[in-house]
Amino acid sequence: VPASQPENLTAFSISPSHDISYTTLILLENASSPAGRFSNVYYDMRISETCVQTSAKLSRIAAHLSFRSQSILCLNFFDRLRVQKSAGSVDPNAAGETLIVYNIARTRPVPAVAPILVSVFATSARSLGVTFVPQAAGQCVFKGYAMQWKLLGETEWQSNEACLTRMSASCSVSGFPFSQSFYTVRMQETCTDPLADSPWVEWPDYIQTWPEPAQVPANFTFVELTAYNATFTFEPGLGLDCTWSSWQAQMLQDIGNPLSEWADLTECESQLQFRENVTCSVTGLQSFTEYQVRVRERCTNYIYDSDWGYSDRFFTRMPIQAGLPEDLKLVQDSVTAFFFDVSWTGGAPGQCIFKEWVMEVFQISPEPDSWAIPPLVEYLDAPQTWVRHKCVAGRDTPNCRPGDLPRSLKQNSTYAVRVKESCTDPNADGDFTMLDMNVTTIIALVPAEPPENLTVSNETVCT
């Protein structure tokens, strides 16, 4: 009766020394093939049982093992003897069938050597930095450096994102649950084939992370915005390790100017007296001007102060302009050779803070003859050009004189006049109102010379 065929042949690589182990249900033992084969290679294997003939009964069992890699075929014999009586010759009729399994196992690749950790240091309240020196890659096709961390007092390692550049020489571990706490790290070079992964290497000490400052204020909203005022609100971040002291608010004007500096909003100090107070109104701004606001949380210990939180840039509104001057008219009988008078009434003030009236004169007619030009030629207006003339009237009593000194009009010349209200904020200035008629100066009348050599004679009784 021949031996049964071996069953359930399995094999696995046990080390990078290229050894392969095998087991079967019949042999119930481990054995190894000779060393000296190839790493990271698949092998076939076959096994059979041979027997010897004795005078009493079958008592010698042997294992016949062969394996091959690529075109190499090796035969190896491993005998296990259970001798009950004297041995006889081999009985080929009792040999079992050969079991062959192809690609039964792959020898292990040469693994990567673990990197050498140089230093581990805190980089924030919830992260550590790691510097290291990569070592020999072996037969590893690099996948990444696996990074893990552990909190002091805990036993389980927590995984972090892999560091993906083999020669980077530095990595970071982040996402820690607590600030100002002690952590350690370990790392491993991982490969596309896990069998080539390096061993883990662990930093021997626990490193304390930094204190965690308050989070940055965010979500700035302007709930009111006019030409000269702005009211904004914001959302505080988490206080974390900060013991709140105050809010510091600043504003930047003229943003495009590199010399512009942030100015403290002292108005906000009284409005932001508690951490829950997050709304501030600012007055005295310039109309139609670009601004930006920033706020940070101040703590009793400055190392916990938050970074600045910034609003979007914004423009204040345009003010309501002053209205047009009304009822602009020539004062009756005021026209002379070198000046005349006009009067009007102010329009609606809008948001204008009155500064002065602006009166301009335009010479429509061509240049007159030289006799019509007054002697102060340096103060004469150029023709076909709007020229500003002095007007010192108040807002409630607007009455001014084109040609008032130091300027002067020309005789027998025609002029147009326009007037507008000027404000302390130029954006609120009103528009010009034109005099509805052109005015022509007169020719100066030169009186006759007085009589000369007047004499009186007594020729009659009555004279």
Side-chain angles (χ1 to χ4, degrees):
V1 178
S4 299
Q5 185 184 49
E7 298 177 354
N8 299 329
L9 177 62
T10 60
F12 54 91
S13 177
I14 60 174
S15 73
S17 63
H18 326 320
D19 295 338
I20 290 184
S21 297
Y22 68 92
T23 61
T24 73
L25 293 180
I26 295 179
L27 293 178
L28 299 176
E29 68 174 356
N30 290 336
S32 297
S33 67
R37 297 298 162 192
F38 301 98
S39 61
N40 204 23
V41 172
Y42 280 95
Y43 284 85
D44 304 333
M45 185 173 290
R46 66 184 182 185
I47 186 170
S48 62
E49 183 174 352
T50 60
C51 310
V52 297
Q53 188 175 20
T54 66
S55 59
K57 65 177 181 179
L58 183 66
S59 61
R60 176 175 294 181
I61 304 174
H64 176 195
L65 168 69
S66 69
F67 64 94
R68 62 190 177 99
S69 169
Q70 299 172 349
S71 60
I72 303 173
L73 178 62
C74 300
L75 297 178
N76 302 276
F77 296 91
F78 303 88
D79 294 331
R80 176 174 176 233
L81 303 179
R82 272 201 311 260
V83 180
Q84 295 180 347
K85 295 185 179 180
S86 59
S89 59
V90 174
D91 183 0
N93 294 319
E97 295 184 8
T98 300
L99 173 64
I100 300 177
V101 179
Y102 297 97
N103 295 329
I104 190 172
R106 182 185 59 157
T107 53
R108 290 177 178 268
V110 177
V113 178
I116 297 176
L117 298 184
V118 178
S119 64
V120 177
F121 49 91
T123 55
S124 75
R126 297 173 185 262
S127 64
L128 294 177
V130 181
T131 60
F132 60 94
V133 179
Q135 299 299 297
Q139 290 182 306
C140 170
V141 177
F142 182 77
K143 180 180 179 182
Y145 286 110
M147 311 294 296
Q148 292 185 343
W149 57 268
K150 183 172 63 174
L151 178 66
L152 179 63
E154 294 186 353
T155 57
E156 292 188 4
W157 290 92
Q158 307 296 325
S159 295
N160 199 76
E161 292 184 3
C163 195
L164 299 179
T165 304
R166 187 175 193 275
M167 302 306 294
S168 62
S170 65
C171 289
S172 63
V173 186
S174 59
F176 300 162
F178 308 109
S179 61
Q180 286 186 289
S181 300
F182 289 88
Y183 298 87
T184 191
V185 297
R186 69 177 184 177
M187 66 185 299
Q188 172 194 48
E189 182 171 349
T190 63
C191 314
T192 55
D193 180 359
L195 294 176
D197 290 353
S198 77
W200 287 96
V201 57
E202 179 180 345
W203 187 250
D205 300 321
Y206 282 83
I207 307 299
Q208 185 178 23
T209 54
W210 294 348
E212 189 159 32
Q215 292 181 344
V216 177
N219 296 330
F220 286 77
T221 303
F222 288 87
V223 295
E224 182 180 3
L225 193 60
T226 67
Y228 306 110
N229 305 318
T231 300
F232 66 90
T233 185
F234 59 91
E235 294 181 6
L238 296 177
L240 301 176
D241 295 327
C242 168
T243 300
W244 186 86
S245 171
S246 64
W247 293 112
Q248 182 180 8
Q250 293 184 338
M251 178 173 280
L252 180 66
Q253 180 184 347
D254 194 15
I255 296 176
N257 184 354
L259 300 179
S260 296
E261 295 183 353
W262 289 92
D264 285 325
L265 294 176
T266 55
E267 288 180 278
C268 293
E269 293 176 1
S270 61
Q271 302 177 58
L272 305 176
Q273 293 186 347
F274 301 96
R275 193 174 192 274
E276 296 75 19
N277 299 146
V278 291
T279 300
C280 177
S281 295
V282 185
T283 60
L285 304 180
Q286 295 183 11
S287 64
F288 199 62
T289 301
E290 188 177 24
Y291 291 92
Q292 189 174 23
V293 169
R294 69 180 185 181
V295 176
R296 68 173 175 174
E297 184 170 351
R298 304 298 300 271
C299 309
T300 54
N301 188 332
Y302 74 93
I303 65 174
Y304 302 107
D305 288 356
S306 75
D307 289 332
W308 290 101
Y310 290 83
S311 73
D312 293 332
R313 297 180 179 183
F314 65 95
F315 276 89
T316 49
R317 306 287 190 239
M318 282 292 292
I320 301 174
Q321 291 179 279
L324 291 171
E326 299 175 355
D327 196 24
L328 177 59
K329 61 186 177 181
L330 175 69
V331 176
Q332 188 174 3
D333 299 329
S334 67
V335 180
T336 70
F338 303 111
F339 62 84
F340 56 87
D341 295 332
V342 292
S343 66
W344 64 92
T345 57
Q351 289 183 293
C352 171
I353 299 176
F354 179 78
K355 179 182 178 184
E356 60 185 344
W357 293 107
V358 176
M359 180 178 66
E360 294 182 347
V361 178
F362 188 93
Q363 179 183 328
I364 298 174
S365 60
E367 283 289 84
D369 296 333
S370 60
W371 59 265
I373 298 176
L376 301 176
V377 293
E378 64 271 22
Y379 296 110
L380 294 179
D381 298 344
Q384 310 300 312
T385 303
W386 286 104
V387 180
R388 183 172 177 176
H389 283 227
K390 183 176 69 173
C391 181
V392 293
R395 190 178 193 279
D396 298 329
T397 58
N399 188 316
C400 288
R401 172 172 290 176
D404 198 3
L405 293 177
R407 308 208 69 81
S408 179
L409 303 181
K410 303 166 187 175
Q411 299 182 61
N412 196 32
S413 298
T414 302
Y415 294 91
V417 179
R418 66 182 184 182
V419 177
K420 75 170 184 177
E421 184 173 353
S422 177
C423 312
T424 54
D425 177 6
N427 289 324
D429 285 359
D431 294 327
F432 280 103
T433 291
M434 291 283 297
L435 183 65
D436 60 1
M437 59 179 294
N438 296 327
V439 181
T440 302
T441 55
I442 65 175
I443 298 174
L445 299 179
V446 180
E449 294 181 357
E452 297 178 354
N453 301 321
L454 176 65
T455 60
V456 178
S457 61
N458 187 11
E459 296 179 350
T460 66
V461 176
C462 300
T463 60

